Amino acid sequence: MSDIVGRDAELEALEVLAGSGEAGIVTLLLEGEPGIGKSTIWSAGVEAARSHGLRVLSTRAVEAERDLALVGLTDLLEGAVDDDVLAALSPPQRHALEVALLLEEAGDEAADPRALGTAVRSAIERLAADGPLLLAIDDLQWFDGASAATLAFAVRRLGDAPVRMLLARRTRGDGMPSPLEAALGNELQRVPVGPLTVGAVHRLLRDRTGVMLARQTLLRVHERSGGNPFFALELARVLDPAADPFQPWQLPETLEELVRVRISELPLETRDALAIAAALGSTSEALLLRAGAERAALEPAIAAHVIERVDGAIRFTHPLLSSLLYRDLGDDRCRVHARIAGVADDPLFRARHLALSRDEPDTAVATILEDAATLAASRGVSAVAAELAAQALRLTPDDGSPERLRRMLAAARADQAAGEWRRASALASELVALPESGDVRAEALVLLAELESVDRSIALLDQALDETGSRPEQRASIHCRLAWAVRFRHGCLGGLEHARIALTLAEELDDDVLRIKSLAMLAKLEGHLADPDAIVHARRADDIARTTGDPLLSRVAAFATAEVLSITMRMDEARAVLEAEHAQWRERDEPWSADLLWALAWVEIFAGRWPLAQRHAERARTILSQYGLEIPQHHLPLAWIAVHRGELETARGLSTRALALALPQLGLHPPLHLAVIGLAALWDGDSATAATWLEKADRQAAALHWYEPGWRPWTGDFVEVLLELDRIDEAGRIVDIWEADAERVRRAWVVPHARRCRALIAAARGELSEAMTLAAQAVGEHVAVGDPFGRARALLALGTIRRRARQKRPARGALEEALEAFQAIGAAPLASKAAAELERIGGRPQADGLTPAERRVAELVADGRTNREVAAALFLGERTVASHLTHIYAKLGVRSRTELARSLADKVQTF
């Protein structure tokens, strides 16, 4: 970097970047006008990183390639993504990356663009595993959109991997910021690259050209160039050093004019070759020659330092040269792009140049572009697919033909897939407004519905139904969509009507695809309504799907079956279905495997296997977050587990985030997240707030027609809160509804919970004998259905009622069993409640005065374990362990862990 003049501050920033020892991503963006020296400083930064031992991945974007599919990403990762890196990726990620980098054919299944972003993130982390990694991109304003979006997706999700980014971009005429800049946000350190001083220009010209200008001439060069080093060098190249500095200069006024003069001095055949090179972008010399350039024609440009050979590639020495040549092609632009298209191998590369070779509609080329857009989508490059679909539409005659309308719809759907929702909405709205849109208007309305809120979506789908006329296939599909949307406004009963219509139409058409989708939708809605036909419809969908052999239809049916089985608490069957699906899909579709893990988490929650449930839920959320997916239900299993373990702030945070997401996405607050907030308040000792939130959950469930009692698991806690507030009659009405629903649909899992509540209500009314009978009955019923958590709750109720009836020994036995069960499951708040009830029992004191819970904590602490280790061993919160320890010290008269261990050793016979 010693030959760079006048850039001390910028070079210091590069040294700081290269030598940074921070974990995570550190970024630096060089900004300045064309020719100001960004690329020179950027190159110095790359060398500085190498000298500091960083692994460097770099690319220099060019204007001609800004719309070419993933060319920037390919250049950046070329040579770095080897077999070792690919082997470390999951199969879906590996496939997406290999297809994008043209290492593998796309195959029949379309690649998910999110899988590519996740793969790039994983590859970067893998490459940075052995030490800091630098990603360097010059001329970011020309880095193609698909690469920028993919890399942005990846860097937003990088963890603590030591990744450095060095970027350079123009500050003039750049248009919208790169998605990469938006992804880095406030973490992006911007370093403006300004003009050189007079002294720096003097040193630059002396070192680069050997020319020593007179002081007045130097001042005029500095003034004319504005301190821009490239401009100053171009002026010095054409300036006569002996010219009178006080006389007017007969020189071009602008840098662009100077560059044009320089290029115009080259032979005609050389200028033709440079025009092809400018249209190609950075390219191999072999491809340039295939496109019509002559090898001999390149030599004058190399001698004039317009282009250079670098590792078999031809590259312009300054991006301004390429940019200017390309803009000056004029009428020759179409001819040059046509020549390139004629020799291109990659179909996406060929399609892009074919599009650029046509200014007027061309149906044949439009068809090629349409096919290329489909191929781009299969490669997972949705941004490129959207651009090619838009070009196909541009080259289709604007004559209102069915082909034109179909391509408008295809372009809108491609924009939707690429996340360009505004463009998608604008195209679909334009299509709907066309009087001749006819058959495609309904599809455009459906697309608009997918981009709108629930209320607006329902209105658009209703309108789409009116537009479908007598097309039953389309009507069935729209009714299926309406069934799902309507449930958020009119409950499951409202959605059920649409699902039944969809099934009727599918039966009339004898269409297995529509039949499976309708049956699956019907089953899910019926499941929440506690309709016994739910499992019948789910099984039928599964049977039909198996006969079709279509794996996507099979998974729709299987998931509906598992959902109904879970809703009806047939957990063993649900687990078998979900695990079989996960085994089949985990190597093929990560987001779908995450959905299966999410469902498995609920199965294990209700089975009382909370550690396994948490692992499933955490894995699901990690995968989905890597793919940029976040909806309210993603947070639900973790929130439910956290609140029952006593991790109240974690639970509140998860459900608060979910409720914030739910309003814009669903237009309502999901009942189970409302219940989590209520349970957190309950176990924080705020019964009034708990009652408010649990009542909200109850009302929301009723509005959505959640008649299935198993999916109202907060009801027992709601009853207990109401009893604490002395709202006994209200508690009785809540249990009446819950118990009636459970008995009506024969939910053996729910009935004992309701019976426990009946016992607590009887106790609140002073009917202790009946209360003990009901609680004991509930304990036995929970054992019969294999519900360890329910059994522990019933034991807690039974022990509490026995204590109130002064049956101390039986009460102690029930409460100790409950405490042990809660600790085994990890239900910290209820374990604390059971321990508190034990403390209230008089009579047989322990020799050391410790409760059973305190004895367990004391033993582990005396054994040398930390509070965290004790909490993990007993499934308690750390604060609960600390509280127990305070009581233990007071009871035993000790002040330290050492004294506690000695005291317990002296009293070992009491344990």
Side-chain angles (χ1 to χ4, degrees):
M1 296 192 287
S2 58
D3 59 342
I4 299 178
V5 298
R7 300 301 187 192
D8 293 346
E10 292 90 337
L11 295 178
E12 182 178 350
L14 294 177
E15 280 293 330
V16 171
L17 176 71
S20 173
E22 292 183 38
I25 190 165
V26 181
T27 62
L28 189 148
L29 173 65
L30 303 167
E31 298 179 292
E33 65 179 15
I36 202 68
K38 301 181 302 301
S39 295
T40 299
I41 300 170
W42 177 87
S43 296
V46 169
E47 292 308 312
R50 290 195 173 105
S51 69
H52 279 271
L54 276 70
R55 182 173 188 174
V56 176
L57 308 183
S58 66
T59 183
R60 307 183 78 161
V62 294
E63 186 174 14
E65 295 176 343
R66 66 188 309 170
D67 296 319
L68 193 56
L70 293 175
V71 65
L73 188 68
T74 302
D75 284 348
L76 189 68
L77 299 180
E78 187 176 14
V81 178
D82 55 18
D83 290 342
D84 289 341
V85 173
L86 291 170
L89 304 180
S90 68
Q93 293 179 24
R94 183 169 63 248
H95 176 70
L97 189 55
E98 287 176 333
V99 169
L101 300 182
L102 303 181
L103 300 174
E104 183 180 300
E105 290 297 322
D108 295 332
E109 293 184 16
D112 185 341
R114 294 167 301 191
L116 176 58
T118 307
V120 171
R121 175 197 60 81
S122 299
I124 290 172
E125 288 184 336
R126 176 70 181 82
L127 291 168
D130 298 328
L133 173 73
L134 178 71
L135 305 177
I137 304 172
D138 191 16
D139 279 311
L140 183 62
Q141 75 277 358
W142 291 328
F143 196 60
D144 68 274
S147 293
T150 301
L151 198 55
F153 184 99
V155 300
R156 276 197 300 268
R157 292 160 179 81
L158 285 174
D160 293 332
V163 176
R164 313 291 174 251
M165 294 193 74
L166 176 59
L167 312 172
R169 65 159 293 156
R170 289 186 179 186
T171 54
R172 193 173 67 191
D174 301 329
M176 295 294 291
S178 164
L180 204 49
E181 291 179 70
L184 294 168
N186 294 332
E187 296 179 357
L188 184 60
Q189 179 190 356
R190 296 178 183 272
V191 177
V193 181
L196 294 176
T197 63
V198 173
V201 169
H202 167 69
R203 294 195 301 275
L204 173 72
L205 298 181
R206 181 196 63 196
D207 295 346
R208 296 288 183 85
T209 68
V211 173
M212 298 285 289
L213 297 178
R215 177 67 177 176
Q216 290 301 322
T217 303
L218 176 65
L219 290 174
R220 289 187 68 182
V221 167
H222 183 267
E223 180 183 7
R224 175 74 68 85
S225 68
N228 183 302
F230 186 64
F231 197 172
L233 285 167
E234 289 297 307
L235 283 170
R237 193 182 66 81
V238 298
L239 183 66
D240 181 359
D244 187 341
F246 299 102
Q247 295 299 315
W249 284 352
Q250 303 299 315
L251 296 174
E253 291 292 327
T254 67
L255 176 58
E256 288 191 359
E257 289 172 340
L258 270 171
V259 172
R260 283 193 178 94
V261 168
R262 181 176 171 189
I263 292 172
S264 68
E265 294 172 351
L266 296 170
L268 177 61
E269 60 273 16
T270 299
R271 298 201 301 272
D272 286 343
L274 291 177
I276 299 172
L280 273 169
S282 58
T283 185
S284 67
E285 186 170 355
L287 180 58
L288 184 58
L289 298 178
R290 281 169 53 199
E294 296 291 336
R295 190 183 301 275
L298 299 176
E299 298 307 324
I302 293 172
H305 300 291
V306 173
I307 58 174
E308 58 187 353
R309 286 191 177 97
V310 180
D311 297 329
I314 293 295
R315 189 173 71 189
F316 284 87
T317 57
H318 196 281
L320 185 61
L321 295 164
S322 171
S323 177
L324 190 63
L325 273 161
Y326 186 71
R327 290 202 302 272
D328 286 351
L329 277 174
D331 294 339
D332 281 344
R333 177 179 57 82
C334 291
R335 177 184 59 82
V336 170
H337 282 296
R339 288 172 65 181
I340 295 170
V343 298
D345 293 324
D346 180 71
L348 300 188
F349 186 86
R350 176 173 179 265
R352 174 180 176 269
H353 283 284
L354 270 177
L356 295 174
S357 74
R358 302 293 192 276
D359 286 332
E360 300 296 330
D362 186 318
T363 55
V365 172
T367 300
I368 293 171
L369 289 166
E370 188 176 28
D371 292 341
T374 301
L375 176 60
S378 75
R379 288 183 177 178
V381 283
S382 53
V384 176
E387 191 263 337
L388 292 171
Q391 290 280 21
L393 178 61
R394 177 181 70 83
L395 295 178
T396 303
D398 189 4
D399 54 5
S401 64
E403 189 173 61
R404 169 82 182 179
L405 299 174
R406 179 174 56 76
R407 285 182 179 150
M408 283 184 73
L409 183 63
R413 288 215 172 274
D415 282 332
Q416 179 194 23
E420 297 289 348
W421 289 3
R422 288 186 180 179
R423 284 198 332 213
S425 182
L427 263 177
S429 298
E430 180 185 350
L431 188 53
V432 168
L434 290 175
E436 67 271 20
S437 59
D439 290 348
V440 298
R441 183 182 282 115
E443 293 185 59
L445 287 165
V446 170
L447 187 151
L448 282 173
E450 294 170 2
L451 303 171
E452 295 286 351
S453 65
V454 171
D455 289 332
R456 177 68 177 143
S457 173
I458 293 170
L460 288 165
L461 289 170
D462 283 335
Q463 187 181 348
L465 271 182
D466 293 337
E467 294 286 345
T468 57
S470 60
R471 295 188 295 279
E473 299 93 339
Q474 202 170 48
R475 293 184 68 81
S477 179
I478 294 171
H479 275 296
C480 253
R481 293 173 185 271
L482 269 169
W484 193 247
V486 163
R487 67 186 284 264
F488 294 112
R489 283 295 168 269
H490 309 300
C492 293
L493 279 174
L496 202 62
E497 179 183 353
H498 288 287
R500 285 171 176 161
I501 294 172
L503 179 58
T504 299
L505 290 168
E507 300 283 22
E508 291 173 357
L509 292 165
D510 195 23
D511 186 320
D512 279 342
V513 173
L514 289 173
R515 189 181 282 123
I516 291 165
K517 291 180 179 179
S518 302
L519 284 166
M521 180 62 66
L522 194 60
K524 289 192 285 188
L525 295 172
E526 288 172 336
H528 282 94
L529 290 165
D531 188 326
D533 283 341
I535 192 61
V536 175
H537 288 137
R539 295 291 194 197
R540 185 179 172 215
D542 194 46
D543 289 342
I544 298 170
R546 291 177 189 279
T547 64
T548 67
D550 186 325
L552 295 178
L553 290 175
S554 292
R555 83 182 195 182
V556 168
F559 199 74
T561 301
E563 186 169 341
V564 173
L565 290 170
S566 297
I567 289 172
T568 55
M569 299 301 148
R570 295 159 66 173
M571 293 305 176
D572 289 342
E573 294 176 70
R575 183 187 295 112
V577 172
L578 291 167
E579 287 181 345
E581 284 292 298
H582 186 247
Q584 180 182 355
W585 286 96
R586 65 185 175 190
E587 300 295 305
R588 300 163 60 190
D589 188 331
E590 284 187 310
W592 174 240
S593 75
D595 288 341
L596 294 167
L597 287 170
W598 182 92
L600 276 168
W602 277 110
V603 168
E604 302 306 350
I605 285 172
F606 286 114
R609 301 198 288 186
W610 293 0
L612 178 57
Q614 183 166 12
R615 289 197 295 273
H616 286 328
E618 286 176 344
R619 178 60 181 153
R621 193 174 65 152
T622 298
I623 293 172
L624 293 168
S625 66
Q626 290 172 357
Y627 281 77
L629 300 170
E630 187 184 18
I631 60 177
Q633 73 174 29
H634 291 167
H635 300 286
L636 188 50
L638 288 172
W640 195 258
I641 294 168
V643 79
H644 282 80
R645 280 185 161 175
E647 300 162 359
L648 304 185
E649 289 308 310
T650 298
R652 283 193 190 97
L654 290 167
S655 283
T656 298
R657 170 62 179 165
L659 292 174
L661 290 169
L663 274 182
Q665 291 184 14
L666 307 175
L668 53 78
H669 282 148
L672 282 161
H673 278 299
L674 294 170
V676 168
I677 303 293
L679 292 175
L682 168 63
W683 289 322
D684 224 6
D686 188 349
S687 297
T689 300
T692 299
W693 283 94
L694 293 172
E695 187 174 9
K696 288 180 181 178
D698 242 30
R699 285 202 306 266
Q700 189 68 280
L704 293 172
H705 303 145
W706 281 20
Y707 298 154
E708 170 52 56
W711 276 99
R712 307 200 302 272
W714 62 84
T715 308
D717 297 291
F718 189 21
V719 167
E720 293 191 29
V721 170
L722 293 174
L723 292 176
E724 285 183 25
L725 298 173
D726 202 28
R727 293 158 61 178
I728 299 174
D729 291 342
E730 191 175 346
R733 287 194 296 272
I734 295 292
V735 175
D736 287 344
I737 296 170
W738 200 34
E739 189 173 43
D741 282 343
E743 290 179 345
R744 175 175 54 84
V745 295
R746 300 176 183 176
R747 293 290 179 265
W749 178 86
V750 178
V751 169
H753 281 284
R755 205 172 310 284
R756 180 190 88 243
C757 293
R758 288 270 181 230
L760 294 172
I761 292 171
R765 289 174 173 156
E767 301 163 356
L768 297 182
S769 178
E770 180 185 354
M772 284 188 285
T773 300
L774 288 169
Q777 189 178 352
V779 172
E781 289 171 339
H782 278 301
V783 172
V785 298
D787 178 7
F789 182 56
R791 170 183 171 272
R793 298 204 69 165
L795 282 167
L796 174 58
L798 179 59
T800 302
I801 296 166
R802 284 174 174 172
R803 179 188 62 77
R804 290 182 58 189
R806 301 184 182 279
Q807 297 182 6
K808 294 182 179 180
R809 182 173 294 177
R812 184 185 301 279
L815 290 170
E816 287 184 344
E817 278 194 76
L819 177 60
E820 185 175 354
F822 286 136
Q823 288 177 338
I825 295 170
L830 290 167
S832 296
K833 189 173 181 178
E837 285 293 328
L838 276 167
E839 288 182 0
R840 293 190 181 99
I841 299 176
R844 188 192 70 188
Q846 296 294 327
D848 52 19
L850 301 182
T851 68
E854 289 169 348
R855 287 204 313 276
R856 291 184 178 91
V857 171
E859 288 172 347
L860 292 174
V861 170
D863 196 39
R865 301 202 194 186
T866 65
N867 284 12
R868 177 172 294 181
E869 290 169 339
V870 173
L874 298 180
F875 299 102
L876 298 174
E878 284 189 59
R879 278 193 283 181
T880 303
V881 172
S883 176
H884 280 319
L885 204 52
T886 301
H887 295 150
I888 293 166
Y889 283 0
K891 289 179 179 181
L892 297 184
V894 299
R895 292 177 296 178
S896 69
R897 290 172 182 260
T898 302
E899 290 183 18
L900 172 61
R902 188 180 303 120
S903 175
L904 291 186
D906 293 341
K907 296 182 170 99
V908 68
Q909 68 276 8
T910 65
F911 291 99

